[in-house]
Each structure stands twice: as structure tokens, then as C-alpha cells.
Amino acid sequence: MNPLAEYQTRLEDRRRTSEQLTRQFHRIGNARLAAGFAAVAVAFFVFGEVWISVWWLLLPLSIFAALVVVHARVVERLQRSQRAIQFYERGVARLEDQWMGSGESGERFRDPAHVYAEDLDLFGKGSLFELLSTARTRAGEDALARWLLAPAASDEVAARHLAVQELRPLLDLREDLAVLGSAVRSSLDPDAAAAWGEAPEVRFPAGARYIAPLLAAAVIVCFSLYMAGVWNRTPFLAALLVVLA
């Protein structure tokens, strides 16, 4: 397999996907705007002149809420596609020897007194660190810097070679790691991340993902009925207190 051809093929595929998602993003955004205007118009006839029943307001609000959910999913997919494009663009640049100045230089690891770091250009613009580093956390960058600054035992080197052989054909996995890790970036505090990982698991009530939107919908419905004069404010306040709790 030609690595450059494979990267270029995948890059073009991700660009096409990004263009499709961008068109979906605009269409759904326009539909959301239309649903919002429709809800305002219906609300005028419900709360202003009181020409129609308050239940008519639920239709545009339901459509708007559904479009918000769909829009958020499209945005998530679009961002993932754009991060995949960046991953393959960097890979193509690396294979075409045009990578210098586009990555993390590792300047903070530079030590002029080190026995070979300066001679081998381990850190800085156009350095070995910039070529190799795809780390998304400071802990990952620290690990790579340690590997470059000190020799490893022969058995450890052999284990790393085996890991490279195992990961080399798993391009989809490497893309997933790069795409998911782009949101973290190298500014993450490794100590805070370690403390979070060692903390007890946070457990949510069973069915929380269904209870939360139902409670939000209850607040909206109760408020609408209160504004329409169908109910008093007690159900709305009760639903609001449950949500806050």
C-alpha cells in the first residue's frame, strides 16, 4: 500500500463528507430559524389576541426542539470530519516533507546542556519532536520527550517495535484517536487528568437521559399553559423546582 496515495484518498473522502455535512448544517439551521419564527407567530395569536388554542404552540416548539437535536448531531459529525481532514493533511504534509513549522515544536523540553539534544535537533522548529509528536496531552508530550532524551533498554525497544507493527495497519483506529484527541489538546493538566481518572465513578440515576428532556418539556408545557390562563403558576413552579433539584 502506498501511504501517500492512501492518505490522499482518505483526505478527499473526508473533504466530500465535510461538504455534505456543511450543506446539511445550513439547511437545518434555516429550518430552525423558520420554526422559531413560526413559534413566535403562533405565540402572538395564543397570548396576544387569544384567537387559537395554546396547544397549537406545541407544534412549532416540538419541531424546533427536534431540529435542535438533529442540528447538534450534524455539528458534532462536521467537527469530527474537519478534525479528520486536519489529521490527513498533516500526514500528507509529513510524507511530502512539508511538515516543518506546522506542529508542536517541544521548545519547553530544550536543554542546551544535554549531551546530544542540540546536535540531533531534538526540539525546536523542524525538530525530530515536531516530526514525531501527535500527542494530545502534556503527559503524552512529556513521555515522547523522555524517550528522545534518554536511551531505553533493549527489551523495551523491542516492545515498542512490536507496538508499531501492531498499530501500523490500523489507520482507522489512529484516525479515531487523532479525531477524538483533538478536543483535548496539549493544554490539559496531566495531574488534574490523573486525579479525575482515579476518582470514584459518578453514577447517574437509571433513565437519566430520558428523565432530563421530559422534565424540560414539562417546564415548557406548564409555563405555556400558565401564560395561556389554563393553569395557575403552581404546576410551573413545581416542575421548575424539580428540574433545579
Side-chain angles (χ1 to χ4, degrees):
M1 180 178 65
N2 186 327
L4 180 58
E6 179 67 18
Y7 268 59
Q8 289 174 335
T9 300
R10 287 172 172 261
L11 176 58
E12 292 302 318
D13 178 70
R14 302 308 184 271
R15 284 173 174 169
R16 286 192 296 270
T17 301
S18 180
E19 292 173 359
Q20 294 173 357
L21 291 172
T22 300
R23 289 193 291 269
Q24 291 182 22
F25 171 82
H26 291 303
R27 285 198 299 267
I28 297 174
N30 292 335
R32 280 181 58 182
L33 185 61
F37 281 134
V40 172
V42 173
F44 173 78
F45 293 107
V46 170
F47 302 123
E49 302 296 335
V50 195
W51 288 352
I52 58 177
S53 171
V54 68
W55 297 107
W56 284 97
L57 187 58
L58 295 180
L59 178 60
L61 288 178
S62 299
I63 295 175
F64 182 83
L67 289 174
V68 167
V69 174
V70 175
H71 202 215
R73 293 178 179 176
V74 171
V75 169
E76 182 180 356
R77 291 170 57 196
L78 178 59
Q79 292 175 343
R80 182 184 178 95
S81 176
Q82 291 172 341
R83 290 196 294 265
I85 290 173
Q86 295 174 355
F87 170 72
Y88 287 114
E89 284 179 342
R90 176 170 169 79
V92 170
R94 184 173 63 250
L95 292 170
E96 293 181 342
D97 200 26
Q98 298 177 355
W99 51 271
M100 288 182 286
S102 61
E104 177 62 43
S105 66
E107 192 68 37
R108 63 191 177 95
F109 302 110
R110 199 164 190 169
D111 180 11
H114 192 272
V115 64
Y116 59 77
E118 292 296 301
D119 294 332
L120 298 181
D121 292 328
L122 293 188
F123 306 106
K125 182 179 179 180
S127 64
L128 181 61
F129 184 91
E130 183 180 353
L131 174 63
L132 296 178
S133 179
T134 57
R136 291 299 184 269
T137 64
R138 293 178 66 88
E141 293 178 353
D142 292 344
L144 176 58
R146 287 196 302 270
W147 290 359
L148 295 176
L149 289 171
S154 58
D155 56 343
E156 184 176 351
V157 173
R160 293 176 187 173
H161 288 172
L162 291 175
V164 170
Q165 293 177 10
E166 181 179 354
L167 291 173
R168 184 169 54 191
L170 303 179
L171 190 52
D172 289 333
L173 173 62
R174 287 153 52 195
E175 177 186 341
D176 289 339
L177 293 174
V179 167
L180 296 174
S182 294
V184 179
R185 306 310 307 164
S186 60
S187 59
L188 179 66
D189 184 355
D191 296 331
W196 170 80
E198 296 172 355
E201 179 183 359
V202 178
R203 295 186 178 275
F204 293 92
R209 66 170 59 191
Y210 306 108
I211 296 173
L214 287 176
L215 289 177
V219 171
I220 295 173
V221 171
C222 291
F223 178 75
S224 301
L225 294 175
Y226 165 64
M227 294 298 295
V230 178
W231 287 351
N232 59 29
R233 63 183 180 181
T234 302
F236 165 66
L237 294 177
L240 185 61
L241 288 174
V242 172
V243 170
L244 294 176

